[in-house]
Amino acid sequence: MNYINSPTEKIKFKNKEIYLKRDDLLDKHFSGNKARKFYYYLVNDLTNIDKIISFGSAQANSLYSLSVLGKIREINIDFYVNHISSYLKENPHGNYKKAIENGVNIIEDKNFDFKTYELKENEILIEEGARVKEAQFGIKILAQEITKWAEEKKIEKLKIFLPSGTGTTALFLQKHLKFEVYTVSCVGGSEYLKKQFFSLEKDEKYHPKIIDMPKKYHFGKLYKEFFEIYNELLETTKIEFDLLYDPLGFLSLEQYLKSSKKEEEILYIHQGGILGNESMKPRYERKFNK
Ligand SMILES: *Cc1c(COP(=O)(O)O)cnc(C)c1O
């Protein structure tokens, strides 16, 4: 399995050639930014650990990636969710379905709180979305790949773009890259994201630049402009992007390009997450197609 060094290719976006780092192609089952964030647990010694505790939404990308990790490392996973919709229980699909197939123990508990969970000796807890220090291990490797690639290509003026959830990936990337990292908050607005950065890194000089959007977007909600940009990218590049984060990622890049310098190069990071489209795409089609 080739977990490291994903390919980089050129695509055209809004009449500009940009580079695309294909972290979605890292591996068939263990890819995208969750693979980077969980890489620490993939390659380091876990002999005294027989269970990973985590939590989040029942359709989270991290749930699926964790399930693959658990399978490879033969470690049990208890994944707590506050709520599983009856529709999902009756029609398992996407990340939820695959995680169950991989043996994750998904526990519905509306009162679960990781802060009060009593961790047993052979357990480790991974916070929602892998918002943990250990994530730095794999993201540093991603940064090194980018640095090496840019050197080989003799690119000096490079800006990195990626959309954020917890901001963990963007922050650790910036920490290990000399190029500026730009991101947009998909989950709770720029203020929330800034707080996330501070909780992982006190020194603001390592914080990525946050692009403010003129409109407020709510995570998981359907927006016409999201579906349009997703379809535009699919048509022009033949590459599928995720429907939760990437539409806002590209909208923020579009906004940035309007005032950017011509001579600088852009590298957008495709962070995977395509499995989630299995549920998002039908929702979009129902809402906007007919
Ligand atoms: C989890 C995820 C993100 C957000 O990553 P953070 O490190 O939490 O900011 C972005 N894109 C995709 C496809 C993801 O799965």
Side-chain angles (χ1 to χ4, degrees):
M1 276 189 266
N2 176 30
Y3 289 115
I4 41 174
N5 217 347
S6 61
T8 299
E9 59 188 78
K10 250 185 182 168
I11 60 167
K12 207 161 187 182
F13 175 65
K14 305 285 174 192
N15 283 322
K16 185 177 167 72
E17 297 229 303
I18 65 164
Y19 292 101
L20 183 68
K21 176 86 169 150
R22 299 292 306 271
D23 258 16
D24 57 317
L25 300 180
L26 276 174
D27 177 79
K28 192 159 182 285
H29 301 290
F30 199 64
S31 73
N33 85 346
K34 301 306 178 292
R36 298 287 188 184
K37 295 207 273 187
F38 290 134
Y39 192 64
Y40 174 90
Y41 303 98
L42 186 75
V43 298
N44 281 291
D45 182 18
L46 300 175
T47 33
N48 295 321
I49 305 300
D50 51 35
K51 194 184 268 181
I52 293 173
I53 312 294
S54 193
F55 58 97
S57 109
Q59 279 289 29
N61 293 334
S62 62
L63 168 56
Y64 173 60
S65 301
L66 264 178
S67 76
V68 177
L69 176 71
K71 210 171 150 182
I72 297 172
R73 300 296 318 253
E74 296 179 335
I75 289 178
N76 293 315
I77 299 188
D78 279 0
F79 193 90
Y80 288 86
V81 298
N82 289 139
H83 177 70
I84 308 173
S85 73
S86 47
Y87 178 79
L88 187 59
K89 278 183 211 164
E90 283 154 26
N91 309 279
H93 57 273
N95 292 316
Y96 176 78
K97 181 177 179 209
K98 289 278 195 312
I100 291 174
E101 285 169 5
N102 283 338
V104 173
N105 189 20
I106 300 179
I107 304 162
E108 188 177 14
D109 178 355
K110 67 177 191 315
N111 297 317
F112 179 81
D113 181 355
F114 75 96
K115 293 196 190 88
T116 55
Y117 181 87
E118 285 180 35
L119 213 55
K120 292 177 199 72
E121 207 181 304
N122 297 335
E123 296 178 350
I124 49 171
L125 187 134
I126 302 180
E127 268 191 57
E128 180 165 20
R131 200 184 71 90
V132 287
K133 288 193 304 295
E134 287 77 8
Q136 184 162 198
F137 182 86
I139 297 167
K140 186 177 173 186
I141 296 171
L142 170 60
Q144 288 165 342
E145 286 174 25
I146 294 170
T147 301
K148 189 160 170 275
W149 166 84
E151 273 169 20
E152 282 165 9
K153 285 250 167 199
K154 300 196 168 43
I155 297 174
E156 276 160 17
K157 285 187 180 141
L158 183 68
K159 299 276 159 86
I160 315 289
F161 281 79
L162 73 166
S164 280
T166 64
T168 311
T169 311
L171 181 93
F172 288 141
L173 254 189
Q174 184 65 89
K175 214 174 158 183
H176 295 285
L177 271 181
K178 67 171 184 183
F179 306 112
E180 274 182 318
V181 174
Y182 284 75
T183 191
V184 63
S185 180
C186 298
V187 174
S190 302
E191 282 306 305
Y192 155 86
L193 188 57
K194 194 77 195 158
K195 270 195 202 134
Q196 297 290 312
F197 289 161
F198 271 114
S199 77
L200 289 162
E201 172 60 58
K202 301 271 171 303
D203 192 343
E204 241 185 309
K205 81 165 189 271
Y206 295 117
H207 290 190
K209 302 250 179 321
I210 302 173
I211 299 173
D212 283 310
M213 298 302 288
K215 176 174 163 183
K216 193 167 165 49
Y217 294 98
H218 297 272
F219 191 61
K221 268 202 170 183
L222 310 186
Y223 298 95
K224 197 162 196 272
E225 58 269 40
F226 280 18
F227 199 39
E228 280 168 358
I229 208 158
Y230 163 87
N231 282 317
E232 180 187 322
L233 285 160
L234 189 61
E235 251 166 58
T236 57
T237 67
K238 311 286 176 228
I239 297 168
E240 180 160 21
F241 289 88
D242 104 297
L243 274 160
L244 277 172
Y245 298 93
D246 284 322
L248 197 50
F250 278 101
L251 285 173
S252 71
L253 174 57
E254 183 182 8
Q255 179 176 300
Y256 174 87
L257 288 177
K258 283 176 189 157
S259 57
S260 72
K261 297 180 199 72
K262 288 265 178 304
E263 70 274 14
E264 68 185 21
E265 305 281 2
I266 305 284
L267 177 70
Y268 187 94
I269 302 176
H270 191 323
Q271 303 183 86
I274 301 310
L275 200 52
N277 286 0
E278 224 179 87
S279 54
M280 289 301 286
K281 210 170 170 189
R283 287 178 65 203
Y284 265 112
E285 277 161 358
R286 276 196 299 274
K287 185 158 175 161
F288 294 117
N289 267 5
K290 272 140 233 153

